[in-house]
């Protein structure tokens, strides 16, 4: 593996991490806002289409037609998910009547 290959692997993994952070923070935000929204289905659908489109486009651009870059990008994406699962607030902090009804805010 040359220096150029190593740099591309690092950049691909970093890009995957950024894509993962945007995707999963967007998902977290969508779930929180859907609890308050007048049209939660529309919000969830629009968010899913936007987030998925962004990630697919990002993976396509980062890979440059090389499966190795795609693999590093995917690894960064998954790593971002693992980090965000530890950092973002849990479901018991969700606001709204639905969260209370589901027992998520119960003491």
């Amino acid at each position: 593996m040359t220096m150029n290959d190593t740099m591309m692997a690092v950049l691909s993994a970093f890009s995957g991490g950024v894509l993962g952070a945007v995707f999963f923070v967007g998902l977290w935000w969508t779930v929180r806002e859907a609890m308050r929204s007048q049209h939660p289905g529309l919000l969830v659908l629009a968010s899913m289409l936007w987030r998925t489109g962004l990630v697919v486009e990002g993976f396509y651009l980062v890979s440059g037609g090389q499966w190795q870059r795609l693999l590093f990008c995917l690894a960064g994406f998954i790593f971002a998910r693992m980090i965000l699962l530890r950092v973002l607030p849990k479901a018991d902090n969700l606001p709204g009547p639905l969260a209370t009804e589901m027992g998520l805010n119960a003491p």
Side-chain angles (χ1 to χ4, degrees):
M1 190 176 235
T2 67
M3 182 61 133
N4 190 32
D5 292 339
T6 303
M7 182 60 82
M8 289 309 294
V10 169
L11 287 174
S12 296
F14 178 77
S15 298
V18 170
L19 287 169
V22 169
F23 184 88
F24 291 111
V25 168
L27 176 60
W28 174 80
W29 179 85
T30 300
V31 170
R32 291 182 61 87
E33 291 302 312
M35 297 288 193
R36 300 182 196 127
S37 176
Q38 294 293 325
H39 305 286
L42 184 60
L43 175 65
V44 169
L45 178 64
S47 174
M48 183 213 38
L49 291 174
W50 182 83
R51 288 180 294 110
T52 303
L54 180 73
V55 168
V56 168
E57 180 73 17
F59 274 40
Y60 175 77
L61 292 174
V62 168
S63 74
Q66 296 183 6
W67 67 268
Q68 296 92 342
R69 289 185 193 173
L70 186 62
L71 192 63
F72 281 109
C73 190
L74 179 61
F77 186 87
I78 293 169
F79 185 71
R81 179 185 179 271
M82 292 168 35
I83 296 298
L84 290 171
L85 279 174
R86 298 181 190 280
V87 173
L88 292 176
K90 303 292 183 245
D92 58 353
N93 296 329
L94 288 174
L98 183 58
T100 303
E101 182 178 316
M102 292 171 59
L104 298 175
N105 290 337

